Amino acid sequence: MTTTNPFLIIGGKGKTGRRVVEQLDARGVPYRLASRSSEQRFDWYDESTWSPTVAGVDTAYLAPPVGPTGLAQAGRFIQQAAAEGLRRVVLLSGRGVGSPGRDFAVYQSSVELENSVRASGADWTIVRPAWFAQNFSEDFLFDYVLGGEIRVAAGDGGEAWIDTNDVGDVMAAALLDERHTGETYSLSGPRTLTLAEVAAVLSTVTGRQVKYVDLEPADFVAELVSYGQTVEDSEAVRDLFAVIRNHRSEYVSDGVQQVLGRAPRDFADWAREIAKTGVWSV
């Protein structure tokens, strides 16, 4: 790291961003959080907040919003930020972006965002993690675990679920070491598991019955909308699960080993440790 300017952390309260912040705190590295509720207000959909947010910033961690519209806004933001002096960006993307068969709108938008980052003129590192294990303990799948049914449209496809702490460690390394400039890293856990296998692991560690209910994609969207999600965001989540459903995510990526020199954490080991915290005992 050669700059003394604070890092800009957009998405610092999210699953990955929060862990990046913990890493920076532990090292005494200055940073600036940017969100709609931060001291320096930032809103993806209010472009008047963009310039004040990047003023005096050298390097940014960027976790874009969900859905094609949000991803398009993120692309516009990085282009403007680079024109205004942002020198480096570390982008949170998704595993499989740019791969054959990822023809859904959310993947096309992710490709466009990655292309915007590469064409921005800023130095860049792109990190593409698999689905987060923490989705079952911190995000919308958490309620499904408590309810005893993981109701998604993933068929019998597998995913190499990754511990978000591993992702945060990789992100922090990319921010702090410019030798990662120009690299694209795909991250995953050490093995793939189907949703039925995930449910079995969670049943064992929680002591409660958790089963997987495979929904048809249209029914999945309808359920998400009934819970208050927008149609666009619901369809984006459907398309992400469609990659699993179509068996396009049944492989392991070595990005954690590449960056950190160690193996990623196994889903079952993660689940056992999380169960000890009592998060699923409510």
Side-chain angles (χ1 to χ4, degrees):
M1 184 180 66
T2 59
T3 181
T4 58
N5 293 336
F7 288 146
L8 176 63
I9 309 296
I10 300 179
K13 295 183 179 180
K15 288 188 293 300
T16 304
R18 189 168 72 250
R19 288 163 172 88
V20 172
V21 166
E22 290 172 358
Q23 292 284 343
L24 298 181
D25 277 334
R27 292 167 170 80
V29 176
Y31 57 86
R32 177 189 302 168
L33 293 177
S35 70
R36 283 178 290 183
S37 60
S38 61
E39 182 177 354
Q40 174 55 63
R41 181 175 176 273
F42 174 82
D43 189 333
W44 290 111
Y45 304 99
D46 181 356
E47 297 185 13
S48 69
T49 67
W50 293 3
S51 292
T53 296
V54 300
V57 168
D58 179 82
T59 299
Y61 161 80
L62 180 62
V66 174
T69 300
L71 292 168
Q73 282 295 99
R76 285 190 282 272
F77 167 77
I78 188 58
Q79 293 282 348
Q80 177 176 317
E84 294 179 359
L86 185 69
R87 187 177 62 85
R88 292 183 62 225
V89 60
V90 176
L91 173 69
L92 176 67
S93 187
R95 197 171 71 133
V97 169
S99 299
R102 266 57 170 199
D103 50 357
F104 304 110
V106 65
Y107 276 96
Q108 294 170 345
S109 298
S110 295
V111 169
E112 291 167 4
L113 173 56
E114 289 192 5
N115 289 341
S116 293
V117 168
R118 293 189 180 98
S120 68
D123 291 337
W124 53 267
T125 306
I126 295 172
V127 180
R128 298 169 166 176
W131 276 78
F132 299 153
Q134 275 79 355
N135 283 318
F136 297 98
S137 62
E138 299 178 16
D139 210 338
F140 76 103
L141 296 176
F142 169 71
D143 289 333
Y144 290 170
V145 176
L146 293 187
E149 291 186 344
I150 302 174
R151 300 175 58 83
V152 297
D156 61 355
E159 172 67 32
W161 312 88
I162 187 167
D163 183 350
T164 313
N165 290 303
D166 287 336
V167 182
D169 289 349
V170 169
M171 287 292 190
L175 283 167
L176 294 167
D177 190 340
E178 296 197 16
R179 289 178 295 180
H180 297 291
T181 295
E183 298 291 343
T184 300
Y185 297 113
S186 291
L187 316 181
S188 80
R191 62 182 174 128
T192 62
L193 292 91
T194 66
L195 268 296
E197 290 168 333
V198 164
V201 170
L202 294 174
S203 294
T204 297
V205 303
T206 63
R208 65 169 73 217
Q209 183 179 10
V210 181
K211 65 180 180 178
Y212 167 49
V213 178
D214 179 26
L215 299 178
E216 289 299 314
D219 295 334
F220 183 41
V221 170
E223 281 203 5
L224 293 178
V225 171
S226 74
Y227 299 149
Q229 293 266 23
T230 67
V231 173
E232 179 183 283
D233 287 351
S234 299
E235 290 177 345
V237 175
R238 173 204 62 196
D239 292 349
L240 292 171
F241 272 111
V243 174
I244 302 176
R245 188 179 189 88
N246 295 331
H247 301 277
R248 296 174 183 165
S249 225
E250 291 173 341
Y251 61 96
V252 171
S253 301
D254 64 355
V256 173
Q257 186 71 45
Q258 283 181 274
V259 176
L260 303 177
R262 63 167 175 81
R265 195 178 199 185
D266 185 76
F267 182 87
D269 294 334
W270 167 82
R272 278 191 291 270
E273 288 301 311
I274 293 298
K276 292 176 184 177
T277 70
V279 68
W280 292 309
S281 300
V282 296

